[in-house]
Amino acid sequence: MTTALYLPEENIDMIAATSVLQQQAADIRTRTINWASYMQSQMISEEDYKAISALDKSRASFLAQNSSQVVKTLLNLVSHLSKDSTIQYILVLLDDLLQEDRSRVDLFHETAGKLKQCIWGPFLNLLNRQDGFIVNMSSRILAKFACWGHETMPKSDLNFYLQFLKDQLATNNNEYIQSVARCLQMMLRVDEYRFAFVGVDGISTLIRILSTRVNFQVQYQLIFCLWVLTFNPLLAAKMNKFSVIPILADILSDCAKEKVTRIILAVFRNLIEKPEDSSVAKDHCIAMVQCKVLKQLSILEQRRFDDEDITSDVEYLSEKLQNSVQDLSSFDEYATEVRSGRLEWSPVHKSAKFWRENAQRLNEKNYELLRILVHLLETSNDGIILSVACFDIGEYVRHYLRGKHVLEQLGGKQIVMQHLGHKDPNVRYEALLAVQKLMVQ
């Protein structure tokens, strides 16, 4: 049995009508297929010819009286015919049958089981076709079979399908991206499918796409996917390892669309409410403060929203973040800033008292924070981040006796020295100061 999260459909299905897939489906519905010629050339059996012709004429009544035959015929046709225009027509017909009545998904599963036919195989095969409509309509049907019935998709097929969706999302200029995202929105409502999606590195893909400029509709759909993932407490706890908070905070500060604002606030709320470990919720609060979410919330408090969810989430988040600021030690604040990868000259860096008391704490969790600073020096192109990282490393070795030895073990000394020739004079200056501190006996 699939344990789907119950969520209102309205906020998804308004989109469907405007997607490229739906526009094409509307044209395909008007086609007339000459089934007689398929039978005459022995490409389909007489039994299948009668069933599909009757289905074309009076769908609901024929299906009600001949459900097994309809399922058998549709699976036969999808598996054995090859002409694009005919396959397109059958897929639209099948998708319409499921859309009209979700209970038909179980009918398909049960009938296929009795016929010893695999319901997944024919549609998974169609994902390899060249025609974009066939690929994406097959994908949509697979998502319905996987989410709307009592049977879940088998594990090997599931991994293949989720990898397919992930790759389609990452394809440049994919005109069907709304349909791909729509399938993911359906799949990730089912708890069993969420971990499989994380297993194919799905969250990183969502974040990577969200960090580029995508239109607000796709933005909404992908953040919706993050939102449904956060209903699982384990995933909510892991989420910010993928920099979800910094990316969504950036979108929140730029966003003009109310529904995008609403879904981001809902993600943030889940990141505080759902983790079972209160220290994780606290870390998430601090990360939000670090990413200037409080400032955005105070701007949102001045605006009027028709949607009560927004008002309630703004109040909830403001209270939680204000409380976390009051409880914040300077080391918590520093650690969150380093973990976010967004170093800036916040007051804590220049505080001699801070370094005297906390330099040794950079050794905690197997030198976690020190390793991040070294990694930022290796990978960042931002002058401020590089300057601050050099400064912090210098202060660490100045205040912690074995700091030079530890830094050499981590390969950090060489990396600091490479920045002596950096094109930004501020980076060169901070690297020079850090090297001097490294050289002092």
Side-chain angles (χ1 to χ4, degrees), residues 4-48:
L5 166 73
Y6 174 72
L7 296 166
E9 282 290 314
E10 48 79 25
N11 49 7
I12 304 184
D13 274 337
M14 295 182 301
I15 307 158
T18 59
S19 75
V20 175
L21 195 74
Q22 290 307 317
Q23 290 163 7
Q24 291 172 328
D27 293 336
I28 291 166
R29 275 187 202 98
T30 63
R31 284 182 193 160
T32 308
I33 306 286
N34 185 351
W35 299 115
S37 71
Y38 277 104
M39 187 183 68
Q40 286 151 12
S41 54
Q42 295 184 327
M43 290 168 79
I44 63 175
S45 68
E46 186 174 354
E47 184 182 51
D48 286 340

Side-chain angles (χ1 to χ4, degrees), residues 224-286:
F224 184 101
C225 291
L226 292 174
W227 177 56
V228 287
L229 286 168
T230 59
F231 278 88
N232 181 295
L234 288 170
L235 294 180
K238 279 199 173 84
M239 205 50 109
N240 203 37
K241 290 191 169 60
F242 299 93
S243 300
V244 166
I245 291 170
I247 295 292
L248 294 189
D250 284 350
I251 295 172
L252 185 64
S253 65
D254 289 345
C255 126
K257 293 289 180 184
E258 190 168 306
K259 69 179 193 174
V260 177
T261 299
R262 179 181 70 191
I263 201 80
I264 292 174
L265 296 175
V267 174
F268 284 167
R269 183 168 187 153
N270 275 4
L271 290 178
I272 298 170
E273 275 186 339
K274 300 300 176 192
E276 284 160 0
D277 180 347
S278 61
S279 71
V280 171
K282 183 186 172 192
D283 286 346
H284 287 168
C285 285
I286 298 167

Side-chain angles (χ1 to χ4, degrees), residues 420-437:
L420 292 170
H422 197 277
K423 62 179 188 288
D424 182 330
N426 294 320
V427 176
R428 288 202 300 274
Y429 173 72
E430 294 299 345
L432 182 62
L433 288 185
V435 170
Q436 285 169 354
K437 291 170 194 170

Side-chain angles (χ1 to χ4, degrees), residues 91-113:
L91 292 175
V92 171
L93 174 64
L94 175 49
D95 185 64
D96 287 347
L97 287 174
L98 302 181
Q99 195 66 35
E100 284 162 12
D101 180 354
R102 289 182 176 207
S103 68
R104 289 172 182 165
V105 166
D106 281 327
L107 174 73
F108 268 82
H109 282 302
E110 286 155 18
T111 310

Side-chain angles (χ1 to χ4, degrees), residues 33 125 138 186 193 267 300 347 378:
I33 306 286
N125 289 338
S138 303
M186 289 167 66
Y193 299 156
V267 174
L300 292 171
E378 275 188 290

Side-chain angles (χ1 to χ4, degrees), residues 220-412:
Y220 170 78
Q221 289 179 273
L222 299 186
I223 299 169
F224 184 101
C225 291
L226 292 174
W227 177 56
V228 287
L229 286 168
T230 59
F231 278 88
N232 181 295
L234 288 170
L235 294 180
K238 279 199 173 84
M239 205 50 109
N240 203 37
K241 290 191 169 60
F242 299 93
S243 300
V244 166
I245 291 170
I247 295 292
L248 294 189
D250 284 350
I251 295 172
L252 185 64
S253 65
D254 289 345
C255 126
K257 293 289 180 184
E258 190 168 306
K259 69 179 193 174
V260 177
T261 299
R262 179 181 70 191
I263 201 80
I264 292 174
L265 296 175
V267 174
F268 284 167
R269 183 168 187 153
N270 275 4
L271 290 178
I272 298 170
E273 275 186 339
K274 300 300 176 192
E276 284 160 0
D277 180 347
S278 61
S279 71
V280 171
K282 183 186 172 192
D283 286 346
H284 287 168
C285 285
I286 298 167
M288 289 175 206
V289 172
Q290 204 81 49
C291 294
K292 315 280 192 288
V293 172
L294 262 176
K295 181 183 164 200
Q296 287 308 314
L297 293 171
S298 65
I299 294 169
L300 292 171
E301 278 173 333
Q302 308 307 314
R303 284 171 53 189
R304 283 190 62 98
F305 292 103
D306 298 333
D307 187 329
E308 286 173 15
D309 284 350
I310 295 186
T311 313
S312 138
D313 286 349
V314 167
E315 282 172 16
Y316 173 86
L317 290 166
S318 295
E319 185 189 339
K320 290 288 183 189
L321 299 196
Q322 300 280 5
N323 291 347
S324 79
V325 171
Q326 285 154 16
D327 299 343
L328 199 56
S329 74
S330 55
F331 185 77
D332 289 334
E333 194 176 337
Y334 175 76
T336 310
E337 185 183 323
V338 173
R339 288 189 191 111
S340 79
R342 298 178 169 208
L343 300 182
E344 51 184 71
W345 287 115
S346 51
V348 58
H349 298 277
K350 296 285 191 175
S351 158
K353 178 174 180 281
F354 171 78
W355 288 107
R356 273 198 310 278
E357 292 171 2
N358 295 295
Q360 197 161 341
R361 295 194 65 185
L362 268 62
N363 303 337
E364 290 173 7
K365 297 184 182 171
N366 192 19
Y367 307 104
E368 178 201 10
L369 297 178
L370 193 59
R371 288 174 191 276
I372 295 172
L373 291 172
V374 171
H375 177 70
L376 289 171
L377 281 181
E378 275 188 290
T379 56
S380 178
N381 299 316
D382 183 294
I384 291 178
I385 291 175
L386 294 172
S387 299
V388 177
C390 284
F391 178 82
D392 286 3
I393 283 171
E395 290 298 276
Y396 167 74
V397 298
R398 187 155 78 98
H399 288 91
Y400 174 56
L401 202 59
R402 294 190 56 252
K404 294 169 201 164
H405 173 70
V406 172
L407 196 69
E408 284 196 30
Q409 296 294 102
L410 296 177

